[in-house]
Amino acid sequence: MALVAGALPGVSADAATPASGSVSDTAPTTTWSGGPFAVPNVSGTTGTVSCGDPQLCDDYALKVTVPTGYDTGHSLRIDIKWPDSAADFDLYVLDSSGHVVAASASSSDPETVLLPAVTASYTVRVVPYAPLGDGFTGTAGLVTDPADPPPSTATPPTYADSSAPDSIADAHNAGEPSIGVDRATGAAMFQAYTSTLKVTYDGAGTATWQDKSANAAGGCPQGSLTSLDPILFTDPATHRTFESQLAGKTALTCYTDDDGETWTPTGGSGINSGVDHQTIGGGPFAPGGPGALTSYPDAVYYCSQDIADASCAVSRDGGLTYGPAVPMYSLLDCGGLHGHVKVAPDGTVYVPNKGCGGNQAVAVSEDNGLTWTVRKNPSSTPGDSDPSVGVGAGGTVYMGYQSSDGTARIAVSHDKGRTWLYDQNVGAALGIKNIVFPAVTAGDDNRAAFAFLGTTTGGDYQDTAGFKGVWHLYVATTYDGGQSWVTVDATPTDPVQRGSICTGGTTCGQDRNLLDFIDVTLDAQGRVLVAYADGCTGACATGGAQNYDALASIARQSSGNTLYGAYDAMVAGKHKKTEGGR
């Protein structure tokens, strides 16, 4: 769904019933309704919402009156909901000047935004994107923010950054990067569009980047074709790396067992796989059901989104062929887009989703992908970036997500997503107001890392004209099972973006250079490696204008305890940036 940034001048809209309302610290809630609507308003798919006959919108004037300082510990929460889950409405909040200050334009029901609880006047605009004859109910209320535990007292780890040299074809075309590590050789495998890159580190931490792309010369003629969604996965137990390019309702997939020296073509995906947001993962088979058909011991999962649902298919022969794709959920349960599939040591499969009935959730399979259950985190609110999960050695699940207010939150489950603990904002101590692209990994059961791009600037980070934030790569780490986290800036002297970052898909302009996600993984010693696209290079990195790059980059842990306690204190000291620079 389209997200609109900046002002929306010169548009007309219908009035809600009632047309206006107010909230205060003594009267904290107000409600209204609108519709029914018969005509969809999809004008936002072109980049700007318009509100006029026949493409109507619905406006509600909201006044907030609170004492000075009330926003410390309180937020303004606005929800819209409707009867038919198959319908879809979008929510925008405009300030007194007509600028969008918050938006929720996903496929979630309800749509939710969170704003600081300050005295202000707003226009709450509801757009019937796909109303199906429905109306909606709106609620605005002042809510108490959940209290976060104190940050971890652990020594913060540090990170050294390296980037692909310009001699690599897709060095500057690495939006939506993915990463895996062959724990037998230590090589990091990095996907940048249709290029697969091999990154090795010497004893001093210096990185060497090589192009090992899947192509006809290496045995994979379909590997370097134009892709709708590239993805890479390395199985940490078998050391096999899969490289896949999305092509409609199929995937052009190959694998390598020798870090890209040779490649083997595969069937790619199951029938009837989806058209968007592909992901590949793998791990042990769950006990009690059919397992491997060949000597390859692990299951391989291919998941993707279609128009009305999202599905996963499982391979029992090492990724050569896949069974039929099984729906994980429909649009009546969750929004179509999902995060990356992860497999627990006991074979439980997790696929996270940013919007399932007003919460973020995981789709879970405990029978090797035959059936799926959606399990929500009730403390969460929907976000604009896909959430991510990491699974510890004992099965503890860590789900990192972008909340409705843009902040970085993570929660922990010890029962496969049925209940969640320690949900907290891990960016508060550093003043981080907005994040995108959550990515989570875990090692020992009580250790995990949560990477994301973040900025200390609040407001609508998708306002192309008005947002002036500076973004960095951050990594939060827990050593006590998610009860507390220590968060560090992994690119403290080198911003990865200046200004807006658009997560609205094809409606975005040039500020979609980073696309939709980053990735994180571990090496054999538990070092954290974060794959990201650096969008601010050259003069931009030292204060110049944003240049909208997408340079293939890795932040590799260079000091501090790793995510495997057995290797504590073995990580070398700080290393400088190498190869290609930024």
Side-chain angles (χ1 to χ4, degrees):
M1 303 302 166
L3 285 177
V4 178
L8 299 177
V11 297
S12 60
D14 285 355
T17 305
S20 63
S22 62
V23 294
S24 68
D25 55 317
T26 58
T29 304
T30 185
T31 62
W32 72 99
S33 61
F37 295 89
V39 180
N41 183 346
V42 297
S43 56
T45 57
T46 63
T48 302
V49 169
S50 62
C51 300
D53 189 22
Q55 292 184 317
L56 299 178
C57 304
D58 193 280
D59 279 1
Y60 178 73
L62 176 64
K63 184 177 182 179
V64 181
T65 306
V66 294
T68 301
Y70 189 80
D71 55 321
T72 301
H74 296 87
S75 295
L76 171 67
R77 175 170 175 155
I78 302 172
D79 297 277
I80 58 167
K81 58 183 64 178
W82 49 93
D84 186 350
S85 295
D88 186 33
F89 291 79
D90 292 338
L91 171 63
Y92 303 90
V93 181
L94 289 64
D95 64 14
S96 58
S97 299
H99 288 86
V100 175
V101 294
S104 181
S106 66
S107 52
S108 298
D109 178 13
E111 297 279 12
T112 301
V113 299
L114 291 167
L115 288 165
V118 297
T119 296
S121 295
Y122 299 108
T123 298
V124 182
R125 176 160 292 166
V126 178
V127 178
Y129 186 88
L132 304 182
D134 260 5
F136 70 89
T137 300
T139 303
L142 297 170
V143 297
T144 301
D145 296 335
D148 291 320
S152 172
T153 59
T155 301
T158 61
Y159 289 83
D161 301 299
S162 67
S163 302
D166 290 344
S167 57
I168 289 178
D170 278 325
H172 294 271
N173 192 20
E176 297 183 351
S178 44
I179 190 171
V181 171
D182 180 342
R183 297 188 182 183
T185 66
M189 305 299 290
F190 185 110
Q191 192 68 28
Y193 193 46
T194 58
S195 294
T196 304
L197 312 180
K198 176 183 176 181
V199 187
T200 55
Y201 296 88
D202 65 15
T206 301
T208 300
W209 293 69
Q210 298 174 278
D211 192 336
K212 298 293 182 179
S213 296
N215 52 37
C220 181
Q222 69 265 49
S224 297
L225 299 177
T226 299
S227 175
L228 299 175
D229 270 324
I231 198 71
L232 175 145
F233 163 70
T234 302
D235 189 313
T238 68
H239 319 299
R240 178 169 290 181
T241 293
F242 298 85
E243 180 271 355
S244 183
Q245 311 295 331
L246 183 65
K249 292 178 74 66
T250 189
L252 309 176
T253 305
C254 296
Y255 68 74
T256 177
D257 291 319
D258 53 16
D259 299 342
E261 296 298 326
T262 60
W263 293 87
T264 300
T266 78
S269 59
I271 301 171
N272 177 30
S273 290
V275 298
D276 193 18
H277 245 57
Q278 68 165 346
T279 176
I280 294 178
F285 285 94
L293 298 177
T294 65
S295 60
Y296 189 86
D298 281 356
V300 181
Y301 292 90
Y302 178 89
C303 308
S304 55
Q305 177 234 343
D306 212 347
I307 296 171
D309 61 16
S311 60
C312 275
V314 62
S315 172
R316 304 181 186 280
D317 56 9
L320 284 170
T321 62
Y322 290 81
V326 175
M328 296 182 288
Y329 53 79
S330 75
L331 293 183
L332 299 178
D333 307 305
C334 301
L337 301 181
H338 52 74
H340 296 305
V341 59
K342 302 288 180 69
V343 182
D346 69 351
T348 304
V349 189
Y350 299 91
V351 179
N353 190 290
K354 63 187 176 182
C356 297
N359 300 117
Q360 309 216 18
V362 286
V364 182
S365 176
E366 299 181 64
D367 56 9
N368 300 317
L370 292 176
T371 61
W372 294 83
T373 303
V374 174
R375 295 171 181 165
K376 304 175 185 179
N377 172 9
S379 299
S380 64
T381 54
D384 291 324
S385 283
D386 296 324
S388 177
V389 296
V391 188
T396 294
V397 181
Y398 300 85
M399 181 169 70
Y401 66 96
Q402 175 210 52
S403 182
S404 290
D405 62 357
T407 57
R409 300 193 69 89
I410 193 162
V412 180
S413 178
H414 297 296
D415 56 8
K416 303 182 180 182
R418 293 177 177 87
T419 60
W420 296 91
L421 303 170
Y422 315 131
D423 193 318
Q424 60 189 282
N425 179 353
V426 298
L430 299 184
I432 300 167
K433 300 293 198 310
N434 278 305
I435 74 150
V436 293
F437 310 155
V440 181
T441 189
D444 291 343
D445 212 40
N446 63 340
R447 299 189 177 197
F450 175 18
F452 52 86
L453 303 189
T455 175
T456 56
T457 301
D460 181 11
Y461 65 86
Q462 302 197 73
D463 181 349
T464 305
F467 190 78
K468 305 301 181 183
V470 178
W471 300 79
H472 288 254
L473 172 68
Y474 292 90
V475 183
T477 308
T478 183
Y479 299 101
D480 59 9
Q483 297 181 62
S484 64
W485 297 78
V486 57
T487 303
V488 298
D489 186 343
T491 57
T493 62
D494 190 357
V496 299
Q497 186 91 337
R498 295 184 185 274
S500 59
I501 295 178
C502 184
T503 56
T506 57
T507 65
C508 297
Q510 62 182 353
D511 59 346
R512 185 169 156 72
N513 54 309
L514 307 181
L515 300 180
D516 289 330
F517 58 82
I518 63 175
D519 199 11
V520 63
T521 192
L522 302 179
D523 66 11
Q525 291 76 40
R527 290 183 188 89
V528 177
L529 291 87
V530 185
Y532 65 101
D534 186 357
C536 177
T537 59
C540 174
T542 56
Q546 171 65 33
N547 63 335
Y548 303 103
D549 202 350
L551 176 61
S553 304
I554 297 175
R556 179 178 184 256
Q557 186 178 352
S558 55
S559 74
N561 289 343
T562 74
L563 298 193
Y564 292 136
Y567 294 94
D568 280 353
M570 61 76 55
V571 177
K574 295 180 181 179
H575 305 304
K576 293 183 179 179
K577 196 181 300 181
T578 58
E579 284 286 1
R582 287 176 294 166

